[in-house]
């Protein structure tokens, strides 16, 4: 059981590391947001699942495990709302990538 | 403003109370009575924002089965997209080709559209910027980290994958 827990937490760390690297190195604001979704999905899920299993089987505390699982579920449901409004707000306030985008339907339809 | 209806209040109350029980995880009488009072107050004031349609759809077996199968499909898509974006990040973040595509969506109801938009945003590599209605059709504006297809229908197939079908099964 301990091995499964360690693997889950390690997977979470790897995806969080990838997301952090992307947030620093990606070329523009929108791509940086895309990289940060890595942290909030598989990064959080891996660590939360591993933590919950740790609480169930090693600590023997069911309440803590359920709380950690709920935390993961709540982050999954609430996160996209924030991501969507940050991205839309950035676009509306005039943030554009330095390099021309491959296709920009949004800018074509709402050029105000 | 829609009126507060009894089924909506009951279902909101049940949801709040289950969350209370899971978060406190103590089943003494005092805690449960306090939770019931708080949940009832919350349900009375917020149920008309929360429930617009059938209050007990989750109790129908077909819908519950559709929701569970959606969860597995979504997890598979999530892992696939995560591996893709994490690979790009580790490879030096140069291999990106961003753009905003407009994608047609054929779903009925606010909940279904909201669920698909949130699923797309939660998948790394795609963020829903806006939802617009034109000519009786619903369109999503989606920022895509690697534009593989500029044709709207085909891009939609690539981005939405099986998610749209699963969500249609849940809400219709």
């Amino acid at each position: 059981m301990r091995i499964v827990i360690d693997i889950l937490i390690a997977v979470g760390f790897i995806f969080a590391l990838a997301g952090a690297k992307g947030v620093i190195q990606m070329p523009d604001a929108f791509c940086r947001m895309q990289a940060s979704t890595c942290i909030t999905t598989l990064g959080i899920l891996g660590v939360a699942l591993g933590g919950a299993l740790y609480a169930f089987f090693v600590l023997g505390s069911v309440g803590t495990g359920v709380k950690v699982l709920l935390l993961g579920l709540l982050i999954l449901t609430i996160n996209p709302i924030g991501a969507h409004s940050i991205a839309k707000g950035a676009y509306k306030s005039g943030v554009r990538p330095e390099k021309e985008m491959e296709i920009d339907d949004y800018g074509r339809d709402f050029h105000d | 403003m829609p009126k507060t209806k009894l089924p909506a209040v009951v279902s909101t109350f049940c949801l709040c109370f289950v969350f209370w029980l899971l978060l406190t995880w103590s089943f003494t009488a005092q805690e449960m009575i306090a939770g019931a009072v708080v949940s009832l107050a919350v349900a009375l004031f917020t149920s008309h924002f929360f429930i617009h349609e059938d209050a007990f759809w989750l109790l129908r077996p077909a819908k519950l089965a559709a929701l569970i199968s959606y969860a597995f499909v979504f997890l598979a898509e999530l892992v696939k997209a995560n591996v893709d974006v994490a690979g790009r990040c580790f490879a030096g973040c140069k291999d990106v080709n961003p753009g905003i595509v407009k994608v047609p969506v054929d779903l009925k109801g606010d909940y279904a559209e909201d669920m698909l938009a949130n699923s797309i945003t939660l998948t790394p590599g795609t963020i829903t910027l806006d939802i617009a209605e034109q000519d009786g059709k619903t369109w999503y504006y989606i920022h895509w980290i690697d534009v593989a297809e500029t044709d709207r229908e085909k891009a939609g197939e690539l981005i939405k994958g099986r998610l749209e079908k699963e969500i249609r099964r849940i809400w219709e």
Side-chain angles (χ1 to χ4, degrees), chain A residues 18 21 30 34 37-38 41-42 62-63 67 70 76 79 84 87-88 91 102-103 105-106 108-109, chain B residues 22-23 25 82 89-90 93 97-100 102 121-122 125-130 141 143 152:
Chain A
K21 190 168 180 292
F30 299 106
Q34 303 279 19
T37 357
C38 257
T41 53
L42 267 198
V62 180
K67 271 175 208 146
L70 268 185
L76 273 191
N79 165 54
H84 147 73
K88 189 177 169 186
Y91 196 94
E102 173 81 15
I103 175 174
D105 280 332
Y106 200 51
R108 204 202 56 213
D109 287 0
Chain B
L22 289 177
L23 280 176
W25 203 258
N82 255 296
C89 290
F90 279 129
C93 303
N97 185 18
I100 298 175
K102 188 178 178 185
T121 307
L122 209 49
T126 45
I127 290 181
T128 313
L129 281 180
D130 209 346
Y141 292 94
H143 180 270
R152 287 171 180 170

mmCIF file of all heavy atoms in Angstrom, chain A residues 18 21 30 34 37-38 41-42 62-63 67 70 76 79 84 87-88 91 102-103 105-106 108-109, chain B residues 22-23 25 82 89-90 93 97-100 102 121-122 125-130 141 143 152:
data_model
loop_
_atom_site.group_PDB
_atom_site.id
_atom_site.type_symbol
_atom_site.label_atom_id
_atom_site.label_comp_id
_atom_site.label_asym_id
_atom_site.label_seq_id
_atom_site.Cartn_x
_atom_site.Cartn_y
_atom_site.Cartn_z
ATOM 1 N N ALA A 18 6.015 20.132 -13.834
ATOM 2 C CA ALA A 18 5.847 20.497 -15.244
ATOM 3 C C ALA A 18 5.056 21.791 -15.360
ATOM 4 O O ALA A 18 5.417 22.689 -16.134
ATOM 5 C CB ALA A 18 5.136 19.376 -15.993
ATOM 6 N N LYS A 21 7.204 24.774 -14.339
ATOM 7 C CA LYS A 21 8.170 25.093 -15.384
ATOM 8 C C LYS A 21 7.476 25.835 -16.532
ATOM 9 O O LYS A 21 7.985 26.826 -17.054
ATOM 10 C CB LYS A 21 8.811 23.799 -15.887
ATOM 11 C CG LYS A 21 9.993 24.006 -16.802
ATOM 12 C CD LYS A 21 10.725 22.692 -17.004
ATOM 13 C CE LYS A 21 11.927 22.839 -17.915
ATOM 14 N NZ LYS A 21 11.577 23.145 -19.287
ATOM 15 N N PHE A 30 -1.565 33.503 -22.097
ATOM 16 C CA PHE A 30 -2.551 32.425 -22.228
ATOM 17 C C PHE A 30 -1.893 31.048 -22.139
ATOM 18 O O PHE A 30 -2.421 30.138 -21.503
ATOM 19 C CB PHE A 30 -3.316 32.576 -23.538
ATOM 20 C CG PHE A 30 -4.075 33.852 -23.617
ATOM 21 C CD1 PHE A 30 -3.642 34.875 -24.420
ATOM 22 C CD2 PHE A 30 -5.214 34.034 -22.851
ATOM 23 C CE1 PHE A 30 -4.332 36.070 -24.471
ATOM 24 C CE2 PHE A 30 -5.898 35.220 -22.892
ATOM 25 C CZ PHE A 30 -5.463 36.243 -23.710
ATOM 26 N N GLN A 34 -2.442 27.873 -19.562
ATOM 27 C CA GLN A 34 -2.629 26.471 -19.951
ATOM 28 C C GLN A 34 -1.717 25.574 -19.138
ATOM 29 O O GLN A 34 -2.127 24.521 -18.667
ATOM 30 C CB GLN A 34 -2.294 26.283 -21.435
ATOM 31 C CG GLN A 34 -3.068 27.130 -22.378
ATOM 32 C CD GLN A 34 -4.416 26.584 -22.666
ATOM 33 O OE1 GLN A 34 -4.918 25.769 -21.916
ATOM 34 N NE2 GLN A 34 -5.018 27.033 -23.732
ATOM 35 N N THR A 37 -2.893 24.826 -15.609
ATOM 36 C CA THR A 37 -3.973 23.847 -15.395
ATOM 37 C C THR A 37 -3.422 22.470 -15.060
ATOM 38 O O THR A 37 -4.106 21.679 -14.431
ATOM 39 C CB THR A 37 -4.862 23.714 -16.651
ATOM 40 O OG1 THR A 37 -4.424 24.613 -17.638
ATOM 41 C CG2 THR A 37 -6.280 23.996 -16.307
ATOM 42 N N CYS A 38 -2.188 22.191 -15.505
ATOM 43 C CA CYS A 38 -1.554 20.918 -15.152
ATOM 44 C C CYS A 38 -1.470 20.753 -13.645
ATOM 45 O O CYS A 38 -1.691 19.677 -13.110
ATOM 46 C CB CYS A 38 -0.134 20.869 -15.720
ATOM 47 S SG CYS A 38 0.028 19.882 -17.169
ATOM 48 N N THR A 41 -5.000 20.109 -12.003
ATOM 49 C CA THR A 41 -5.739 18.874 -12.286
ATOM 50 C C THR A 41 -4.983 17.652 -11.787
ATOM 51 O O THR A 41 -5.260 17.164 -10.707
ATOM 52 C CB THR A 41 -6.058 18.753 -13.784
ATOM 53 O OG1 THR A 41 -4.857 18.907 -14.513
ATOM 54 C CG2 THR A 41 -7.032 19.817 -14.206
ATOM 55 N N LEU A 42 -4.042 17.155 -12.566
ATOM 56 C CA LEU A 42 -3.393 15.912 -12.143
ATOM 57 C C LEU A 42 -2.457 16.125 -10.965
ATOM 58 O O LEU A 42 -2.290 15.230 -10.141
ATOM 59 C CB LEU A 42 -2.629 15.267 -13.308
ATOM 60 C CG LEU A 42 -3.395 14.230 -14.110
ATOM 61 C CD1 LEU A 42 -2.440 13.375 -14.899
ATOM 62 C CD2 LEU A 42 -4.257 13.366 -13.242
ATOM 63 N N VAL A 62 -10.410 7.976 9.049
ATOM 64 C CA VAL A 62 -11.291 8.078 7.884
ATOM 65 C C VAL A 62 -11.705 9.523 7.636
ATOM 66 O O VAL A 62 -11.778 9.975 6.488
ATOM 67 C CB VAL A 62 -12.530 7.182 8.092
ATOM 68 C CG1 VAL A 62 -13.456 7.275 6.899
ATOM 69 C CG2 VAL A 62 -12.109 5.748 8.316
ATOM 70 N N GLY A 63 -11.958 10.276 8.715
ATOM 71 C CA GLY A 63 -12.412 11.661 8.552
ATOM 72 C C GLY A 63 -11.437 12.504 7.755
ATOM 73 O O GLY A 63 -11.821 13.224 6.835
ATOM 74 N N LYS A 67 -12.003 14.271 4.045
ATOM 75 C CA LYS A 67 -11.817 15.715 3.848
ATOM 76 C C LYS A 67 -10.866 15.989 2.696
ATOM 77 O O LYS A 67 -11.105 16.880 1.874
ATOM 78 C CB LYS A 67 -11.265 16.344 5.128
ATOM 79 C CG LYS A 67 -12.376 16.776 6.053
ATOM 80 C CD LYS A 67 -11.819 17.274 7.360
ATOM 81 C CE LYS A 67 -12.846 17.034 8.435
ATOM 82 N NZ LYS A 67 -12.297 16.719 9.718
ATOM 83 N N LEU A 70 -12.662 15.370 -0.562
ATOM 84 C CA LEU A 70 -13.603 16.462 -0.845
ATOM 85 C C LEU A 70 -12.868 17.688 -1.353
ATOM 86 O O LEU A 70 -13.330 18.378 -2.254
ATOM 87 C CB LEU A 70 -14.349 16.831 0.426
ATOM 88 C CG LEU A 70 -15.672 16.135 0.675
ATOM 89 C CD1 LEU A 70 -16.315 16.725 1.903
ATOM 90 C CD2 LEU A 70 -16.576 16.324 -0.517
ATOM 91 N N LEU A 76 -11.503 20.663 -8.246
ATOM 92 C CA LEU A 76 -11.837 20.320 -9.631
ATOM 93 C C LEU A 76 -13.067 21.074 -10.098
ATOM 94 O O LEU A 76 -13.162 21.467 -11.254
ATOM 95 C CB LEU A 76 -12.101 18.822 -9.754
ATOM 96 C CG LEU A 76 -10.900 17.927 -9.994
ATOM 97 C CD1 LEU A 76 -11.365 16.547 -10.361
ATOM 98 C CD2 LEU A 76 -10.040 18.483 -11.096
ATOM 99 N N ASN A 79 -12.118 25.356 -9.896
ATOM 100 C CA ASN A 79 -10.991 25.890 -10.647
ATOM 101 C C ASN A 79 -11.335 26.429 -12.046
ATOM 102 O O ASN A 79 -10.897 27.518 -12.393
ATOM 103 C CB ASN A 79 -9.911 24.808 -10.722
ATOM 104 C CG ASN A 79 -8.885 25.118 -11.753
ATOM 105 O OD1 ASN A 79 -8.308 26.192 -11.728
ATOM 106 N ND2 ASN A 79 -8.667 24.207 -12.651
ATOM 107 N N HIS A 84 -11.394 30.457 -16.478
ATOM 108 C CA HIS A 84 -12.147 31.055 -17.586
ATOM 109 C C HIS A 84 -12.212 32.562 -17.429
ATOM 110 O O HIS A 84 -11.958 33.308 -18.375
ATOM 111 C CB HIS A 84 -13.548 30.442 -17.612
ATOM 112 C CG HIS A 84 -14.607 31.360 -18.078
ATOM 113 N ND1 HIS A 84 -14.723 31.713 -19.392
ATOM 114 C CD2 HIS A 84 -15.569 32.028 -17.419
ATOM 115 C CE1 HIS A 84 -15.733 32.552 -19.510
ATOM 116 N NE2 HIS A 84 -16.255 32.758 -18.325
ATOM 117 N N ALA A 87 -8.794 34.279 -18.056
ATOM 118 C CA ALA A 87 -8.412 34.308 -19.469
ATOM 119 C C ALA A 87 -9.238 35.346 -20.222
ATOM 120 O O ALA A 87 -8.704 36.147 -20.994
ATOM 121 C CB ALA A 87 -8.611 32.927 -20.089
ATOM 122 N N LYS A 88 -10.549 35.381 -19.972
ATOM 123 C CA LYS A 88 -11.409 36.340 -20.673
ATOM 124 C C LYS A 88 -11.037 37.765 -20.284
ATOM 125 O O LYS A 88 -10.955 38.654 -21.135
ATOM 126 C CB LYS A 88 -12.871 36.051 -20.337
ATOM 127 C CG LYS A 88 -13.830 36.840 -21.169
ATOM 128 C CD LYS A 88 -15.247 36.449 -20.837
ATOM 129 C CE LYS A 88 -16.219 37.406 -21.473
ATOM 130 N NZ LYS A 88 -17.590 37.133 -21.059
ATOM 131 N N TYR A 91 -7.906 38.805 -22.031
ATOM 132 C CA TYR A 91 -8.106 39.124 -23.454
ATOM 133 C C TYR A 91 -8.794 40.468 -23.610
ATOM 134 O O TYR A 91 -8.404 41.298 -24.424
ATOM 135 C CB TYR A 91 -8.923 38.020 -24.132
ATOM 136 C CG TYR A 91 -8.827 38.092 -25.621
ATOM 137 C CD1 TYR A 91 -7.881 37.331 -26.293
ATOM 138 C CD2 TYR A 91 -9.633 38.952 -26.348
ATOM 139 C CE1 TYR A 91 -7.755 37.418 -27.653
ATOM 140 C CE2 TYR A 91 -9.516 39.051 -27.702
ATOM 141 C CZ TYR A 91 -8.576 38.276 -28.358
ATOM 142 O OH TYR A 91 -8.433 38.379 -29.700
ATOM 143 N N GLU A 102 -2.102 31.689 -34.351
ATOM 144 C CA GLU A 102 -2.404 30.897 -35.537
ATOM 145 C C GLU A 102 -3.770 31.297 -36.117
ATOM 146 O O GLU A 102 -3.936 31.487 -37.312
ATOM 147 C CB GLU A 102 -2.402 29.411 -35.158
ATOM 148 C CG GLU A 102 -2.856 28.465 -36.237
ATOM 149 C CD GLU A 102 -1.750 28.172 -37.241
ATOM 150 O OE1 GLU A 102 -0.592 28.478 -36.933
ATOM 151 O OE2 GLU A 102 -2.081 27.647 -38.329
ATOM 152 N N ILE A 103 -4.746 31.433 -35.234
ATOM 153 C CA ILE A 103 -6.091 31.822 -35.663
ATOM 154 C C ILE A 103 -6.714 32.553 -34.491
ATOM 155 O O ILE A 103 -6.485 32.195 -33.344
ATOM 156 C CB ILE A 103 -6.924 30.587 -36.069
ATOM 157 C CG1 ILE A 103 -8.353 30.970 -36.404
ATOM 158 C CG2 ILE A 103 -6.904 29.529 -34.995
ATOM 159 C CD1 ILE A 103 -9.153 29.811 -36.947
ATOM 160 N N ASP A 105 -10.362 33.807 -33.797
ATOM 161 C CA ASP A 105 -11.770 34.049 -34.083
ATOM 162 C C ASP A 105 -12.367 35.067 -33.121
ATOM 163 O O ASP A 105 -13.246 35.833 -33.488
ATOM 164 C CB ASP A 105 -12.556 32.736 -33.969
ATOM 165 C CG ASP A 105 -12.407 31.888 -35.212
ATOM 166 O OD1 ASP A 105 -12.184 32.476 -36.279
ATOM 167 O OD2 ASP A 105 -12.511 30.665 -35.108
ATOM 168 N N TYR A 106 -11.892 35.066 -31.884
ATOM 169 C CA TYR A 106 -12.468 35.952 -30.877
ATOM 170 C C TYR A 106 -12.188 37.407 -31.219
ATOM 171 O O TYR A 106 -13.078 38.247 -31.175
ATOM 172 C CB TYR A 106 -11.882 35.607 -29.502
ATOM 173 C CG TYR A 106 -12.701 36.076 -28.339
ATOM 174 C CD1 TYR A 106 -14.057 35.791 -28.276
ATOM 175 C CD2 TYR A 106 -12.128 36.794 -27.300
ATOM 176 C CE1 TYR A 106 -14.811 36.211 -27.219
ATOM 177 C CE2 TYR A 106 -12.893 37.215 -26.235
ATOM 178 C CZ TYR A 106 -14.234 36.925 -26.191
ATOM 179 O OH TYR A 106 -14.976 37.350 -25.131
ATOM 180 N N ARG A 108 -11.625 38.540 -34.153
ATOM 181 C CA ARG A 108 -12.312 38.891 -35.386
ATOM 182 C C ARG A 108 -13.772 39.232 -35.118
ATOM 183 O O ARG A 108 -14.335 40.141 -35.700
ATOM 184 C CB ARG A 108 -12.219 37.712 -36.355
ATOM 185 C CG ARG A 108 -12.366 38.090 -37.801
ATOM 186 C CD ARG A 108 -12.791 36.894 -38.601
ATOM 187 N NE ARG A 108 -14.017 36.338 -38.053
ATOM 188 C CZ ARG A 108 -14.323 35.064 -38.058
ATOM 189 N NH1 ARG A 108 -13.489 34.199 -38.576
ATOM 190 N NH2 ARG A 108 -15.462 34.636 -37.555
ATOM 191 N N ASP A 109 -14.402 38.472 -34.166
ATOM 192 C CA ASP A 109 -15.823 38.683 -33.922
ATOM 193 C C ASP A 109 -16.090 39.850 -32.976
ATOM 194 O O ASP A 109 -17.146 40.455 -33.032
ATOM 195 C CB ASP A 109 -16.445 37.408 -33.333
ATOM 196 C CG ASP A 109 -16.586 36.338 -34.389
ATOM 197 O OD1 ASP A 109 -16.200 36.622 -35.532
ATOM 198 O OD2 ASP A 109 -17.079 35.251 -34.082
ATOM 199 N N LEU B 22 -19.835 15.031 5.747
ATOM 200 C CA LEU B 22 -18.521 14.597 5.270
ATOM 201 C C LEU B 22 -17.412 15.459 5.858
ATOM 202 O O LEU B 22 -16.341 14.962 6.195
ATOM 203 C CB LEU B 22 -18.470 14.650 3.740
ATOM 204 C CG LEU B 22 -19.291 13.588 3.008
ATOM 205 C CD1 LEU B 22 -19.213 13.804 1.520
ATOM 206 C CD2 LEU B 22 -18.790 12.208 3.353
ATOM 207 N N LEU B 23 -17.672 16.769 5.988
ATOM 208 C CA LEU B 23 -16.603 17.657 6.457
ATOM 209 C C LEU B 23 -16.388 17.549 7.951
ATOM 210 O O LEU B 23 -15.256 17.614 8.420
ATOM 211 C CB LEU B 23 -16.914 19.105 6.068
ATOM 212 C CG LEU B 23 -16.581 19.457 4.628
ATOM 213 C CD1 LEU B 23 -17.007 20.868 4.319
ATOM 214 C CD2 LEU B 23 -15.094 19.323 4.380
ATOM 215 N N TRP B 25 -17.531 14.871 9.929
ATOM 216 C CA TRP B 25 -17.273 13.455 10.171
ATOM 217 C C TRP B 25 -17.409 13.101 11.661
ATOM 218 O O TRP B 25 -16.641 12.352 12.225
ATOM 219 C CB TRP B 25 -15.895 13.033 9.656
ATOM 220 C CG TRP B 25 -15.834 11.569 9.383
ATOM 221 C CD1 TRP B 25 -15.269 10.600 10.168
ATOM 222 C CD2 TRP B 25 -16.368 10.885 8.268
ATOM 223 N NE1 TRP B 25 -15.439 9.371 9.597
ATOM 224 C CE2 TRP B 25 -16.107 9.520 8.427
ATOM 225 C CE3 TRP B 25 -17.092 11.303 7.139
ATOM 226 C CZ2 TRP B 25 -16.515 8.554 7.522
ATOM 227 C CZ3 TRP B 25 -17.488 10.345 6.241
ATOM 228 C CH2 TRP B 25 -17.189 8.993 6.428
ATOM 229 N N ASN B 82 -3.073 16.028 -19.923
ATOM 230 C CA ASN B 82 -2.042 16.392 -18.961
ATOM 231 C C ASN B 82 -0.682 15.917 -19.412
ATOM 232 O O ASN B 82 0.305 16.669 -19.336
ATOM 233 C CB ASN B 82 -2.357 15.759 -17.603
ATOM 234 C CG ASN B 82 -2.876 16.767 -16.619
ATOM 235 O OD1 ASN B 82 -2.169 17.679 -16.257
ATOM 236 N ND2 ASN B 82 -4.113 16.618 -16.234
ATOM 237 N N CYS B 89 5.942 21.156 -21.671
ATOM 238 C CA CYS B 89 6.652 21.976 -20.680
ATOM 239 C C CYS B 89 8.063 21.463 -20.472
ATOM 240 O O CYS B 89 9.018 22.238 -20.442
ATOM 241 C CB CYS B 89 5.915 21.957 -19.346
ATOM 242 S SG CYS B 89 4.371 22.850 -19.381
ATOM 243 N N PHE B 90 8.226 20.139 -20.356
ATOM 244 C CA PHE B 90 9.563 19.600 -20.107
ATOM 245 C C PHE B 90 10.438 19.734 -21.339
ATOM 246 O O PHE B 90 11.662 19.777 -21.228
ATOM 247 C CB PHE B 90 9.479 18.138 -19.671
ATOM 248 C CG PHE B 90 9.136 17.995 -18.223
ATOM 249 C CD1 PHE B 90 8.110 17.172 -17.808
ATOM 250 C CD2 PHE B 90 9.846 18.705 -17.265
ATOM 251 C CE1 PHE B 90 7.801 17.057 -16.468
ATOM 252 C CE2 PHE B 90 9.544 18.595 -15.920
ATOM 253 C CZ PHE B 90 8.521 17.763 -15.517
ATOM 254 N N CYS B 93 9.070 24.299 -23.721
ATOM 255 C CA CYS B 93 8.017 25.281 -23.951
ATOM 256 C C CYS B 93 8.131 25.997 -25.296
ATOM 257 O O CYS B 93 7.542 27.056 -25.486
ATOM 258 C CB CYS B 93 7.965 26.333 -22.849
ATOM 259 S SG CYS B 93 7.750 25.636 -21.227
ATOM 260 N N ASN B 97 1.729 26.417 -30.391
ATOM 261 C CA ASN B 97 1.171 27.021 -31.589
ATOM 262 C C ASN B 97 -0.206 27.562 -31.230
ATOM 263 O O ASN B 97 -1.217 27.036 -31.642
ATOM 264 C CB ASN B 97 1.082 25.945 -32.673
ATOM 265 C CG ASN B 97 0.629 26.515 -33.983
ATOM 266 O OD1 ASN B 97 0.691 27.725 -34.185
ATOM 267 N ND2 ASN B 97 0.133 25.654 -34.847
ATOM 268 N N PRO B 98 -0.274 28.598 -30.356
ATOM 269 C CA PRO B 98 -1.552 28.962 -29.753
ATOM 270 C C PRO B 98 -2.486 29.700 -30.710
ATOM 271 O O PRO B 98 -2.042 30.296 -31.692
ATOM 272 C CB PRO B 98 -1.140 29.881 -28.598
ATOM 273 C CG PRO B 98 0.142 30.465 -29.022
ATOM 274 C CD PRO B 98 0.819 29.451 -29.881
ATOM 275 N N GLY B 99 -3.765 29.650 -30.403
ATOM 276 C CA GLY B 99 -4.760 30.352 -31.190
ATOM 277 C C GLY B 99 -6.111 30.225 -30.525
ATOM 278 O O GLY B 99 -6.293 29.425 -29.618
ATOM 279 N N ILE B 100 -7.067 31.053 -30.988
ATOM 280 C CA ILE B 100 -8.420 30.987 -30.443
ATOM 281 C C ILE B 100 -9.356 30.514 -31.541
ATOM 282 O O ILE B 100 -9.469 31.172 -32.582
ATOM 283 C CB ILE B 100 -8.856 32.359 -29.904
ATOM 284 C CG1 ILE B 100 -7.927 32.783 -28.770
ATOM 285 C CG2 ILE B 100 -10.283 32.292 -29.410
ATOM 286 C CD1 ILE B 100 -8.209 34.157 -28.254
ATOM 287 N N LYS B 102 -13.238 29.052 -32.858
ATOM 288 C CA LYS B 102 -14.661 29.143 -32.558
ATOM 289 C C LYS B 102 -15.258 27.789 -32.892
ATOM 290 O O LYS B 102 -15.069 27.278 -33.995
ATOM 291 C CB LYS B 102 -15.257 30.238 -33.447
ATOM 292 C CG LYS B 102 -16.669 30.604 -33.159
ATOM 293 C CD LYS B 102 -17.044 31.736 -34.127
ATOM 294 C CE LYS B 102 -18.477 32.131 -33.941
ATOM 295 N NZ LYS B 102 -18.869 33.121 -34.949
ATOM 296 N N THR B 121 -12.277 23.701 -20.027
ATOM 297 C CA THR B 121 -11.302 24.544 -19.338
ATOM 298 C C THR B 121 -10.402 23.713 -18.436
ATOM 299 O O THR B 121 -9.209 23.971 -18.321
ATOM 300 C CB THR B 121 -12.027 25.599 -18.494
ATOM 301 O OG1 THR B 121 -12.935 26.286 -19.321
ATOM 302 C CG2 THR B 121 -11.053 26.578 -17.899
ATOM 303 N N LEU B 122 -10.984 22.683 -17.801
ATOM 304 C CA LEU B 122 -10.214 21.873 -16.869
ATOM 305 C C LEU B 122 -9.189 21.006 -17.580
ATOM 306 O O LEU B 122 -8.175 20.641 -16.984
ATOM 307 C CB LEU B 122 -11.184 20.992 -16.082
ATOM 308 C CG LEU B 122 -10.794 20.576 -14.680
ATOM 309 C CD1 LEU B 122 -10.331 21.778 -13.902
ATOM 310 C CD2 LEU B 122 -11.989 19.972 -14.002
ATOM 311 N N GLY B 125 -4.453 22.622 -21.941
ATOM 312 C CA GLY B 125 -4.320 22.793 -23.378
ATOM 313 C C GLY B 125 -5.487 23.513 -24.011
ATOM 314 O O GLY B 125 -5.373 23.993 -25.127
ATOM 315 N N THR B 126 -6.624 23.582 -23.312
ATOM 316 C CA THR B 126 -7.772 24.299 -23.862
ATOM 317 C C THR B 126 -8.442 25.095 -22.752
ATOM 318 O O THR B 126 -8.641 24.584 -21.658
ATOM 319 C CB THR B 126 -8.804 23.335 -24.471
ATOM 320 O OG1 THR B 126 -8.997 22.254 -23.572
ATOM 321 C CG2 THR B 126 -8.361 22.807 -25.792
ATOM 322 N N ILE B 127 -8.780 26.371 -23.028
ATOM 323 C CA ILE B 127 -9.513 27.195 -22.069
ATOM 324 C C ILE B 127 -10.687 27.835 -22.801
ATOM 325 O O ILE B 127 -10.509 28.422 -23.864
ATOM 326 C CB ILE B 127 -8.623 28.300 -21.468
ATOM 327 C CG1 ILE B 127 -7.570 27.698 -20.534
ATOM 328 C CG2 ILE B 127 -9.456 29.292 -20.689
ATOM 329 C CD1 ILE B 127 -6.682 28.729 -19.892
ATOM 330 N N THR B 128 -11.883 27.699 -22.256
ATOM 331 C CA THR B 128 -13.043 28.355 -22.853
ATOM 332 C C THR B 128 -13.018 29.830 -22.475
ATOM 333 O O THR B 128 -13.018 30.170 -21.299
ATOM 334 C CB THR B 128 -14.339 27.734 -22.336
ATOM 335 O OG1 THR B 128 -14.228 26.326 -22.395
ATOM 336 C CG2 THR B 128 -15.505 28.185 -23.163
ATOM 337 N N LEU B 129 -12.961 30.708 -23.500
ATOM 338 C CA LEU B 129 -12.939 32.143 -23.210
ATOM 339 C C LEU B 129 -14.339 32.692 -23.075
ATOM 340 O O LEU B 129 -14.620 33.490 -22.198
ATOM 341 C CB LEU B 129 -12.219 32.903 -24.327
ATOM 342 C CG LEU B 129 -10.710 32.891 -24.326
ATOM 343 C CD1 LEU B 129 -10.226 33.693 -25.515
ATOM 344 C CD2 LEU B 129 -10.171 33.501 -23.069
ATOM 345 N N ASP B 130 -15.242 32.288 -23.958
ATOM 346 C CA ASP B 130 -16.559 32.909 -23.968
ATOM 347 C C ASP B 130 -17.563 31.977 -24.643
ATOM 348 O O ASP B 130 -17.187 31.127 -25.441
ATOM 349 C CB ASP B 130 -16.500 34.240 -24.730
ATOM 350 C CG ASP B 130 -17.530 35.209 -24.197
ATOM 351 O OD1 ASP B 130 -18.426 34.751 -23.461
ATOM 352 O OD2 ASP B 130 -17.441 36.400 -24.511
ATOM 353 N N TYR B 141 -15.749 30.074 -27.721
ATOM 354 C CA TYR B 141 -14.437 30.558 -28.153
ATOM 355 C C TYR B 141 -13.408 29.884 -27.255
ATOM 356 O O TYR B 141 -13.435 30.060 -26.039
ATOM 357 C CB TYR B 141 -14.357 32.069 -28.026
ATOM 358 C CG TYR B 141 -15.245 32.774 -28.997
ATOM 359 C CD1 TYR B 141 -16.524 33.160 -28.644
ATOM 360 C CD2 TYR B 141 -14.806 33.023 -30.282
ATOM 361 C CE1 TYR B 141 -17.356 33.782 -29.548
ATOM 362 C CE2 TYR B 141 -15.625 33.649 -31.197
ATOM 363 C CZ TYR B 141 -16.899 34.022 -30.821
ATOM 364 O OH TYR B 141 -17.718 34.636 -31.716
ATOM 365 N N HIS B 143 -9.414 28.961 -26.366
ATOM 366 C CA HIS B 143 -7.977 29.161 -26.578
ATOM 367 C C HIS B 143 -7.313 27.791 -26.547
ATOM 368 O O HIS B 143 -7.471 27.034 -25.603
ATOM 369 C CB HIS B 143 -7.386 30.052 -25.491
ATOM 370 C CG HIS B 143 -5.923 30.287 -25.675
ATOM 371 N ND1 HIS B 143 -4.976 29.464 -25.125
ATOM 372 C CD2 HIS B 143 -5.249 31.230 -26.366
ATOM 373 C CE1 HIS B 143 -3.781 29.905 -25.476
ATOM 374 N NE2 HIS B 143 -3.916 30.974 -26.223
ATOM 375 N N ARG B 152 -13.794 24.711 -38.216
ATOM 376 C CA ARG B 152 -14.517 24.735 -36.950
ATOM 377 C C ARG B 152 -15.052 23.370 -36.541
ATOM 378 O O ARG B 152 -14.901 22.949 -35.401
ATOM 379 C CB ARG B 152 -15.664 25.732 -37.030
ATOM 380 C CG ARG B 152 -15.133 27.134 -36.998
ATOM 381 C CD ARG B 152 -16.190 28.120 -37.290
ATOM 382 N NE ARG B 152 -15.610 29.464 -37.254
ATOM 383 C CZ ARG B 152 -16.250 30.523 -37.662
ATOM 384 N NH1 ARG B 152 -17.466 30.420 -38.141
ATOM 385 N NH2 ARG B 152 -15.685 31.690 -37.591
#
